[in-house]
Amino acid sequence: MNAKKVWFVTGASKGLGLALVKKLLENDYYVAATSRDKLALEKAVNYLGNNFLPLEVDLINEESVTNGLAAAVEKFGKIDMVVNNAGYGQAGTLEELSDEESRENFDVNVFGVLHVIRKVMPYLRENKAGHIINISSVGGFMGNFPSFGVYCATKYALVGLTEALAAEVGSLGIHATVVYPGYFRTNFLDNGSFKLPKNPIAVYTEARKLEEMHVNEIRGNQTGNPDKAADVFIAISKQEKPPLHLFLGSDSYQFAKQKIEIVTKELNANEKLATSTDY
């Protein structure tokens, strides 16, 4: 075994996860990667060497996650880097989406991540080292997108739990990073990765316009390059003090600056009210 780090990447059969896995294997890293469909993962990665372990894992099933991580450690001896990339976009206004649609999005986007964190931490604690990267979205920092409230809520949740995780595990030699990607040219807006509401309500015209824009205009024209995103992930894995927050893509960076300006303006405008409630 060489000194290269061992990576565990979820949602690796497409999107940023697939780009990262391919780049890691090109650079001779050891990679365990998960998908709901192992054959699709193997076909997408198209790698026959011994550095790659494809795993069929159901992230909302704790036993499946446990078995996947154990298989990775059995093959490679350890896990250094964890990238929680799996997730999907759920469109629909808060009124339109059923409880089932909303909970399913949280199950995959949030509780799937929690399952991985919970089950991988014993390995990282034993090694007194490791780095967990949770893929949120710029929609986890700025949520004023009609039809994306539930999806944004799942991504906001990842921010909160990553910040807490960093505070909990920092003294154990373990790092945590939350990544806020903007629009990257992946299949995220394709069927299977992007779901429309089952029971749309016609009056929500702003929501329909934004959904149509994502499907008909943004899809295929995203500014972000997944291969360059993979380079960034590898770069922060080499940093002694990796960032807790990482905005990824020029659009994400600009959205973040806009949000900070809005919040700063409202803080200043309401300072007297905000500070008037102390004893």
Side-chain angles (χ1 to χ4, degrees):
M1 171 116 16
N2 63 27
K4 296 281 189 178
K5 292 180 178 179
V6 177
W7 291 66
F8 186 90
V9 183
T10 71
S13 62
K14 52 189 174 182
L16 292 178
L18 176 59
L20 175 59
V21 167
K22 286 185 171 181
K23 185 63 65 82
L24 289 169
L25 292 172
E26 289 172 5
N27 287 274
D28 200 34
Y29 286 95
Y30 292 100
V31 182
T34 81
S35 173
R36 290 172 296 176
D37 185 337
K38 182 179 176 180
L39 292 178
L41 174 60
E42 291 173 337
K43 182 178 180 180
V45 175
N46 191 27
Y47 176 88
L48 300 177
N50 195 45
N51 284 14
F52 180 48
L53 177 64
L55 297 165
E56 188 163 310
V57 173
D58 178 3
L59 293 174
I60 63 175
N61 182 304
E62 286 192 88
E63 183 178 359
S64 182
V65 172
T66 298
N67 293 340
L69 288 164
V73 173
E74 181 179 0
K75 181 173 177 63
F76 298 124
K78 61 173 182 172
I79 295 174
D80 299 297
M81 299 292 303
V82 179
V83 181
N84 285 305
N85 169 72
Y88 70 93
Q90 175 66 66
T93 67
L94 299 182
E95 180 185 0
E96 291 170 332
L97 290 182
S98 66
D99 185 69
E100 180 182 5
E101 288 171 295
S102 299
R103 287 180 183 275
E104 183 179 358
N105 205 205
F106 270 88
D107 279 342
V108 175
N109 290 9
V110 180
F111 288 99
V113 172
L114 282 171
H115 290 165
V116 174
I117 292 171
R118 188 181 303 117
K119 300 302 182 180
V120 79
M121 276 305 304
Y123 298 112
L124 303 187
R125 284 192 291 104
E126 182 179 357
N127 293 334
K128 297 182 175 60
H131 188 178
I132 297 174
I133 299 175
N134 295 325
I135 308 301
S136 177
S137 164
V138 67
F141 189 75
M142 192 170 190
N144 58 338
F145 303 103
S147 186
F148 290 86
V150 166
Y151 171 73
C152 287
T154 68
K155 295 304 185 178
Y156 266 83
L158 290 187
V159 176
L161 67 86
T162 306
E163 289 182 338
L165 178 66
E168 292 165 356
V169 303
S171 63
L172 305 178
I174 300 166
H175 301 288
T177 297
V178 58
V179 180
Y180 307 81
Y183 290 107
F184 278 80
R185 201 166 299 179
T186 68
N187 51 7
F188 177 74
L189 294 176
D190 294 349
N191 291 335
S193 295
F194 182 66
K195 297 183 180 181
L196 296 172
K198 294 178 180 178
N199 298 296
I201 300 172
V203 71
Y204 286 110
T205 55
E206 293 88 351
R208 299 292 87 79
K209 288 178 181 178
L210 192 58
E211 291 166 5
E212 291 173 5
M213 181 183 299
H214 277 78
V215 174
N216 298 322
E217 298 178 26
I218 296 176
R219 182 170 61 181
N221 296 304
Q222 299 97 320
T223 57
N225 184 328
D227 290 333
K228 291 183 178 181
D231 290 333
V232 173
F233 292 139
I234 294 173
I236 66 169
S237 76
K238 298 176 181 178
Q239 294 179 350
E240 183 178 350
K241 295 182 178 180
L244 173 55
H245 300 273
L246 177 64
F247 292 90
L248 199 60
S250 59
D251 51 355
S252 175
Y253 189 82
Q254 291 303 319
F255 275 130
K257 290 186 69 175
Q258 291 173 21
K259 172 67 177 285
I260 291 169
E261 290 172 1
I262 291 170
V263 173
T264 300
K265 183 177 180 180
E266 292 188 343
L267 276 172
N268 293 336
N270 295 283
E271 181 180 1
K272 287 185 178 180
L273 284 174
T275 58
S276 67
T277 59
D278 297 345
Y279 282 104

